[in-house]
Amino acid sequence: MNYAECRKYIEDSQSLGRVLGLFGMQELMRRLGNPQEELAFVHAAGTNGKGSVLAYVASALRNAGYCTGRYTSPAIFEYREIIEVDGQVISQEEFASAFTPVAEAADAMERDGFSHPTPFEMETAAAFLHFRRKGCQIVALETGMGGETDATNLVTNTKVAVLTSISLDHMDALGNSLEEIARCKAGVIKPGCRVVSTLQEPEAAHEIERACAEKGVSCTWVDYRNAHIISQDLHGQRFSYEGNTYATRLSGLCQVENAAVAVKVLEALADMGFPLSKEQTREGIAKASWPGRFTLLRENPAVILDGAHNPQAARQLAASLEKCFAGKKIIYILGMFRDKDYRQVASIMAPLAYEILTVETPGNLRALPADELAREVGEFHERVTAVSSLGEAAALSLEKAGADGVVAVFGSLSFLGEISVFFTGEGE
């Protein structure tokens, strides 16, 4: 199969959705020779912050000379960015080479009476094959959803299990309470690994402690409140933490917490056979990038892209906007999936907006139509307009913001990459 054929195969499998549970994934990996068993992992679960923490960790490990893989989802700007080695996104040829045996194994499973693997299961399998071929010494691995029953959780050689901030999200699949969701996410904890968690709500902390006790491991709790911001602007920030000074190109307020977690993950890795110097850690954090997380896309007016699609992320985005743009005229472009808590996101974000434009994520069955989203958001703000296309929304937002205003584009990660080209001029 070539790259286009692989993408078509994945697209045709989209109707299979996402299946929680490891039985199918275990069978798929068995047929592929279980490449994941030859790899070591930093495995991250949580509601928000997973990708940012792993971006810091992977950057620092790369900086220290380790061959480092990273697997994250969803993609924002380019589909292949979900799989990278040493900061290089997998090429089309490499993707086709890794995915072809996965598709063959998937078809064979179906012929043998097994359920056909889902797109996420197949992408994960292709990533493991690619990482083994590249000789990765360590892989930064992000769960797709949850933890215990996530397709990524068939890995056993977990060096560090990371729990980022846990809140209510994906409740239809993971549970109706914080305890249930935390219990599922804590499933990434394995015997013999190190565990690093940010501070959690008491219910979530209890479940993490319970899982650690079950697996006979201890948890390092990261008190990010001990980190102090030295300077901050739209291009990054400097902060001190435990006697060391760090700089990051990521500017959202939550990035100090994420970087502090990454520091502790790297310290834990040093005890697990992956030593780094303080300077290698500092340089790695400074070099890390993670687009779509309070990303400044252009200036005059400032355009910010952020994947805030749940209440906790919305609170973080609102705090960052208030900190950076107090007194500015802010225009929102908002697109959401219908299975997200869009009403609460709207209620949190609405007070800071001058006007809100709603859009529908193109080509996604989960997307909430722009007019329906506008009706819902209209309960929290008096100026809400449904816009028929991303290009129109971008042009209208720039006109309304003026040179001195701000455009904040947020919600579903799935439309951020597509709309960004209209702000950079590439979509004109």
Side-chain angles (χ1 to χ4, degrees), residues 336-392:
M336 294 286 290
F337 287 163
R338 63 172 65 254
D339 55 354
K340 295 296 182 180
D341 192 355
Y342 47 84
R343 287 182 58 83
Q344 192 172 355
V345 168
S347 69
I348 292 166
M349 295 298 300
L352 292 176
Y354 175 80
E355 188 167 348
I356 301 173
L357 309 178
T358 62
V359 296
E360 179 177 348
T361 300
N364 196 305
L365 296 177
R366 294 170 60 198
L368 194 66
D371 55 352
E372 187 176 340
L373 181 58
R375 285 195 298 272
E376 298 286 351
V377 175
E379 295 186 25
F380 306 99
H381 201 284
E382 61 182 1
R383 287 185 293 274
V384 182
T385 303
V387 184
S388 60
S389 72
L390 299 185
E392 182 186 350

Coordinates of all heavy atoms in Angstrom, one line a residue, residues 336-392:
M336 N -17.3 23.0 18.4 CA -17.4 21.9 19.5 C -18.0 20.7 18.9 O -18.8 20.7 18.0 CB -18.2 22.4 20.7 CG -17.6 23.6 21.5 SD -16.2 23.1 22.5 CE -16.9 22.1 23.8
F337 N -17.6 19.5 19.5 CA -18.3 18.3 19.3 C -19.6 18.2 20.1 O -19.6 18.7 21.3 CB -17.4 17.1 19.6 CG -16.3 16.9 18.6 CD1 -15.2 16.1 18.9 CD2 -16.3 17.5 17.3 CE1 -14.2 15.9 18.0 CE2 -15.3 17.3 16.4 CZ -14.2 16.5 16.7
R338 N -20.6 17.5 19.7 CA -21.8 17.4 20.4 C -21.7 16.6 21.6 O -22.6 16.7 22.5 CB -22.9 16.9 19.4 CG -22.8 15.5 18.9 CD -24.0 15.0 18.2 NE -24.3 15.8 16.9 CZ -25.3 16.7 16.8 NH1 -26.1 16.9 17.9 NH2 -25.5 17.3 15.7
D339 N -20.7 15.7 21.7 CA -20.6 14.9 22.9 C -19.7 15.6 24.0 O -19.3 14.9 25.0 CB -20.0 13.5 22.6 CG -18.7 13.6 21.8 OD1 -18.2 14.7 21.5 OD2 -18.1 12.5 21.6
K340 N -19.4 16.8 23.8 CA -18.7 17.6 24.8 C -19.6 18.5 25.6 O -20.7 18.8 25.2 CB -17.6 18.5 24.2 CG -16.5 17.6 23.5 CD -15.7 16.8 24.5 CE -14.6 16.0 23.8 NZ -13.8 15.2 24.8
D341 N -19.1 19.0 26.8 CA -20.0 19.8 27.6 C -19.8 21.3 27.1 O -19.3 22.1 27.8 CB -19.5 19.7 29.1 CG -20.5 20.4 30.1 OD1 -21.5 21.0 29.6 OD2 -20.3 20.2 31.3
Y342 N -20.4 21.5 25.9 CA -20.2 22.8 25.3 C -21.0 23.9 26.0 O -20.6 25.1 26.0 CB -20.7 22.8 23.8 CG -22.0 22.1 23.6 CD1 -23.2 22.8 23.7 CD2 -22.1 20.8 23.2 CE1 -24.4 22.2 23.5 CE2 -23.3 20.1 23.0 CZ -24.4 20.8 23.1 OH -25.6 20.2 22.9
R343 N -22.0 23.6 26.7 CA -22.7 24.6 27.5 C -21.9 25.2 28.6 O -21.8 26.4 28.9 CB -24.1 24.1 28.0 CG -25.1 23.9 26.9 CD -26.5 23.4 27.5 NE -27.0 24.3 28.5 CZ -27.7 25.4 28.3 NH1 -28.0 25.7 27.0 NH2 -28.1 26.2 29.2
Q344 N -21.2 24.3 29.3 CA -20.4 24.8 30.4 C -19.2 25.5 29.9 O -18.8 26.5 30.5 CB -20.0 23.6 31.4 CG -19.3 24.1 32.7 CD -19.1 23.0 33.7 OE1 -19.4 21.9 33.5 NE2 -18.4 23.4 34.8
V345 N -18.6 25.0 28.8 CA -17.5 25.7 28.2 C -17.9 27.2 27.8 O -17.2 28.1 28.1 CB -17.0 25.0 27.0 CG1 -16.0 25.9 26.1 CG2 -16.3 23.7 27.4
A346 N -19.1 27.3 27.2 CA -19.6 28.6 26.8 C -19.9 29.5 28.0 O -19.5 30.7 28.0 CB -20.9 28.4 26.0
S347 N -20.4 28.9 29.1 CA -20.7 29.8 30.3 C -19.4 30.3 30.9 O -19.3 31.4 31.4 CB -21.5 28.9 31.3 OG -20.7 27.9 31.9
I348 N -18.3 29.5 30.8 CA -17.0 29.9 31.4 C -16.4 31.0 30.5 O -15.8 31.9 31.1 CB -16.1 28.7 31.5 CG1 -16.6 27.7 32.6 CG2 -14.7 29.1 31.9 CD1 -16.0 26.3 32.6
M349 N -16.4 30.8 29.2 CA -15.7 31.6 28.3 C -16.4 32.9 28.0 O -15.8 34.0 27.7 CB -15.4 30.9 27.0 CG -14.4 29.7 27.2 SD -12.8 30.2 27.8 CE -12.3 31.3 26.5
A350 N -17.8 32.9 28.0 CA -18.6 34.0 27.4 C -18.3 35.4 28.1 O -18.2 36.4 27.3 CB -20.1 33.7 27.6
P351 N -18.0 35.5 29.4 CA -17.9 36.8 29.9 C -16.7 37.6 29.4 O -16.7 38.9 29.4 CB -17.6 36.5 31.4 CG -18.3 35.2 31.7 CD -18.1 34.4 30.4
L352 N -15.7 37.0 28.8 CA -14.5 37.7 28.3 C -14.7 38.1 26.8 O -13.9 38.9 26.3 CB -13.3 36.8 28.4 CG -12.8 36.5 29.8 CD1 -11.6 35.6 29.7 CD2 -12.4 37.8 30.5
A353 N -15.7 37.7 26.2 CA -15.9 37.9 24.7 C -16.6 39.2 24.4 O -17.6 39.5 25.1 CB -16.6 36.7 24.1
Y354 N -16.2 39.9 23.4 CA -17.0 40.9 22.8 C -18.1 40.4 21.9 O -19.2 40.8 21.9 CB -16.1 41.9 22.0 CG -16.9 43.0 21.3 CD1 -17.3 44.1 22.1 CD2 -17.2 42.9 20.0 CE1 -18.1 45.1 21.4 CE2 -17.9 43.9 19.4 CZ -18.4 45.0 20.1 OH -19.1 46.0 19.5
E355 N -17.7 39.4 21.1 CA -18.6 38.7 20.2 C -18.1 37.3 20.0 O -16.9 37.0 20.0 CB -18.7 39.4 18.9 CG -19.8 38.9 17.9 CD -20.1 39.8 16.8 OE1 -19.6 41.0 16.8 OE2 -20.7 39.4 15.8
I356 N -19.0 36.4 19.7 CA -18.7 35.0 19.5 C -19.2 34.5 18.1 O -20.4 34.7 17.8 CB -19.3 34.1 20.6 CG1 -18.8 34.5 22.0 CG2 -19.0 32.6 20.4 CD1 -19.5 33.8 23.1
L357 N -18.3 33.9 17.4 CA -18.7 33.3 16.1 C -18.6 31.8 16.3 O -17.6 31.2 16.8 CB -17.7 33.7 15.0 CG -17.5 35.2 14.8 CD1 -16.5 35.5 13.7 CD2 -18.8 35.9 14.5
T358 N -19.7 31.1 15.9 CA -19.7 29.6 16.0 C -19.5 29.0 14.6 O -20.0 29.5 13.6 CB -21.0 29.1 16.6 OG1 -22.1 29.4 15.8 CG2 -21.2 29.6 18.0
V359 N -18.7 27.9 14.6 CA -18.5 27.1 13.3 C -18.7 25.7 13.5 O -18.7 25.2 14.7 CB -17.0 27.4 12.8 CG1 -16.8 28.8 12.5 CG2 -16.0 26.9 13.9
E360 N -18.8 24.9 12.4 CA -18.9 23.5 12.5 C -17.6 22.9 12.0 O -17.2 23.3 10.9 CB -20.1 23.0 11.6 CG -20.3 21.5 11.6 CD -21.5 21.0 10.8 OE1 -22.3 21.9 10.5 OE2 -21.6 19.8 10.6
T361 N -17.1 21.9 12.7 CA -15.9 21.3 12.3 C -16.2 20.5 11.0 O -17.1 19.6 11.0 CB -15.4 20.3 13.3 OG1 -15.1 21.0 14.5 CG2 -14.1 19.6 12.9
P362 N -15.5 20.8 9.9 CA -15.9 20.1 8.6 C -15.6 18.6 8.6 O -14.6 18.2 9.2 CB -15.0 20.9 7.6 CG -14.6 22.1 8.3 CD -14.5 21.8 9.7
G363 N -16.5 17.9 8.0 CA -16.3 16.5 7.8 C -16.2 15.6 9.0 O -15.6 14.5 8.9
N364 N -16.8 16.0 10.1 CA -16.7 15.2 11.3 C -18.2 15.0 11.8 O -18.9 15.9 12.1 CB -15.9 15.9 12.4 CG -15.5 14.9 13.5 OD1 -16.3 14.3 14.1 ND2 -14.2 14.8 13.7
L365 N -18.5 13.7 11.9 CA -19.9 13.4 12.4 C -20.2 13.8 13.8 O -21.4 14.0 14.2 CB -20.1 11.9 12.2 CG -20.0 11.3 10.8 CD1 -20.2 9.8 10.8 CD2 -21.1 12.0 9.9
R366 N -19.2 14.0 14.6 CA -19.4 14.4 16.0 C -19.6 15.9 16.1 O -20.0 16.4 17.2 CB -18.2 14.0 16.8 CG -18.0 12.5 17.0 CD -16.6 12.2 17.6 NE -16.5 12.7 18.9 CZ -15.3 12.9 19.5 NH1 -14.2 12.6 18.9 NH2 -15.3 13.4 20.8
A367 N -19.3 16.6 15.1 CA -19.4 18.1 15.2 C -20.8 18.6 15.4 O -21.8 18.1 14.8 CB -18.8 18.7 13.9
L368 N -20.9 19.6 16.2 CA -22.2 20.3 16.5 C -22.4 21.3 15.4 O -21.5 22.1 15.1 CB -22.2 20.9 17.8 CG -23.5 21.4 18.4 CD1 -24.4 20.2 18.7 CD2 -23.3 22.2 19.7
P369 N -23.5 21.4 14.7 CA -23.7 22.4 13.6 C -23.6 23.8 14.2 O -24.0 24.0 15.4 CB -25.2 22.1 13.2 CG -25.4 20.6 13.5 CD -24.6 20.4 14.7
A370 N -23.1 24.7 13.4 CA -22.8 26.0 13.8 C -24.1 26.7 14.4 O -24.0 27.4 15.4 CB -22.2 26.9 12.7
D371 N -25.2 26.6 13.7 CA -26.4 27.3 14.1 C -26.9 26.7 15.5 O -27.4 27.4 16.3 CB -27.5 27.2 13.1 CG -27.8 25.8 12.6 OD1 -27.1 24.9 13.0 OD2 -28.8 25.7 11.8
E372 N -26.8 25.4 15.6 CA -27.2 24.8 16.9 C -26.3 25.2 18.0 O -26.8 25.5 19.1 CB -27.2 23.2 16.8 CG -27.8 22.5 18.0 CD -27.9 21.0 17.8 OE1 -27.8 20.5 16.6 OE2 -27.9 20.3 18.8
L373 N -25.0 25.3 17.8 CA -24.1 25.7 18.8 C -24.4 27.2 19.1 O -24.3 27.6 20.3 CB -22.6 25.6 18.3 CG -21.5 26.0 19.2 CD1 -21.6 25.3 20.6 CD2 -20.2 25.7 18.6
A374 N -24.7 28.0 18.1 CA -25.0 29.4 18.3 C -26.2 29.6 19.3 O -26.2 30.5 20.1 CB -25.2 30.1 17.0
R375 N -27.2 28.8 19.1 CA -28.4 28.9 19.9 C -28.0 28.5 21.4 O -28.5 29.2 22.3 CB -29.5 27.9 19.4 CG -30.2 28.3 18.2 CD -31.5 27.6 18.0 NE -31.2 26.1 17.8 CZ -31.0 25.6 16.6 NH1 -30.9 26.4 15.5 NH2 -30.8 24.3 16.5
E376 N -27.2 27.5 21.6 CA -26.8 27.2 22.9 C -26.0 28.3 23.6 O -26.2 28.7 24.7 CB -26.1 25.8 22.9 CG -26.9 24.7 22.4 CD -27.9 24.2 23.4 OE1 -27.9 24.6 24.6 OE2 -28.7 23.3 23.0
V377 N -25.0 28.7 22.8 CA -24.1 29.8 23.3 C -24.8 31.1 23.6 O -24.5 31.9 24.5 CB -22.9 30.0 22.4 CG1 -22.0 31.1 22.8 CG2 -22.1 28.7 22.3
G378 N -25.9 31.3 22.8 CA -26.6 32.5 22.9 C -27.3 32.7 24.3 O -27.7 33.8 24.6
E379 N -27.4 31.7 25.0 CA -27.9 31.8 26.4 C -27.0 32.5 27.3 O -27.3 32.9 28.4 CB -28.3 30.4 26.9 CG -29.5 29.8 26.1 CD -29.9 28.5 26.8 OE1 -29.8 28.3 28.0 OE2 -30.5 27.6 26.1
F380 N -25.7 32.6 26.9 CA -24.7 33.1 27.8 C -24.1 34.4 27.3 O -23.3 35.0 27.9 CB -23.5 32.1 28.0 CG -24.0 30.7 28.5 CD1 -24.2 29.7 27.6 CD2 -24.3 30.5 29.8 CE1 -24.7 28.4 28.0 CE2 -24.8 29.3 30.2 CZ -25.0 28.3 29.3
H381 N -24.4 34.8 26.0 CA -23.9 36.0 25.4 C -24.9 36.6 24.4 O -25.5 35.8 23.7 CB -22.5 35.7 24.7 CG -21.6 36.9 24.5 ND1 -21.9 37.8 23.6 CD2 -20.5 37.3 25.2 CE1 -20.9 38.7 23.6 NE2 -20.1 38.4 24.6
E382 N -24.9 37.9 24.4 CA -25.9 38.5 23.5 C -25.5 38.7 22.1 O -26.3 38.9 21.2 CB -26.3 39.9 24.1 CG -25.1 40.9 24.1 CD -25.5 42.2 24.7 OE1 -26.7 42.4 25.1 OE2 -24.6 43.1 24.8
R383 N -24.2 38.6 21.8 CA -23.7 38.7 20.4 C -23.1 37.4 19.9 O -21.9 37.1 20.2 CB -22.7 39.8 20.3 CG -23.4 41.2 20.4 CD -22.3 42.3 20.1 NE -21.4 42.4 21.2 CZ -21.5 43.1 22.3 NH1 -22.6 43.8 22.5 NH2 -20.6 43.1 23.3
V384 N -23.9 36.6 19.3 CA -23.4 35.2 18.8 C -23.9 35.1 17.4 O -25.1 35.3 17.1 CB -24.0 34.1 19.7 CG1 -23.4 32.7 19.2 CG2 -23.6 34.3 21.2
T385 N -23.0 34.7 16.5 CA -23.3 34.5 15.1 C -22.8 33.2 14.6 O -21.7 32.9 14.8 CB -22.7 35.6 14.2 OG1 -23.1 36.9 14.7 CG2 -23.1 35.5 12.8
A386 N -23.7 32.4 14.0 CA -23.3 31.2 13.3 C -22.7 31.5 11.9 O -23.3 32.3 11.2 CB -24.5 30.2 13.2
V387 N -21.5 30.9 11.6 CA -20.9 31.2 10.4 C -20.8 30.0 9.6 O -20.5 28.9 10.1 CB -19.5 31.8 10.6 CG1 -18.8 32.2 9.3 CG2 -19.6 33.0 11.5
S388 N -21.0 30.1 8.3 CA -21.1 28.9 7.4 C -19.8 28.2 7.0 O -19.8 27.0 6.7 CB -21.9 29.2 6.1 OG -21.2 30.2 5.4
S389 N -18.7 28.9 7.1 CA -17.4 28.3 6.7 C -16.3 28.8 7.6 O -16.4 29.9 8.2 CB -17.1 28.6 5.2 OG -16.7 29.9 5.1
L390 N -15.2 28.0 7.7 CA -14.1 28.5 8.5 C -13.4 29.7 7.9 O -13.0 30.6 8.6 CB -13.0 27.3 8.5 CG -13.5 26.0 9.2 CD1 -12.3 25.0 9.3 CD2 -14.1 26.3 10.6
G391 N -13.3 29.8 6.5 CA -12.7 30.9 5.9 C -13.5 32.2 6.2 O -12.9 33.3 6.5
E392 N -14.8 32.1 6.1 CA -15.7 33.3 6.4 C -15.5 33.7 7.9 O -15.4 34.9 8.2 CB -17.1 32.9 6.2 CG -18.1 34.1 6.4 CD -19.5 33.7 6.3 OE1 -19.8 32.6 5.8 OE2 -20.4 34.5 6.6

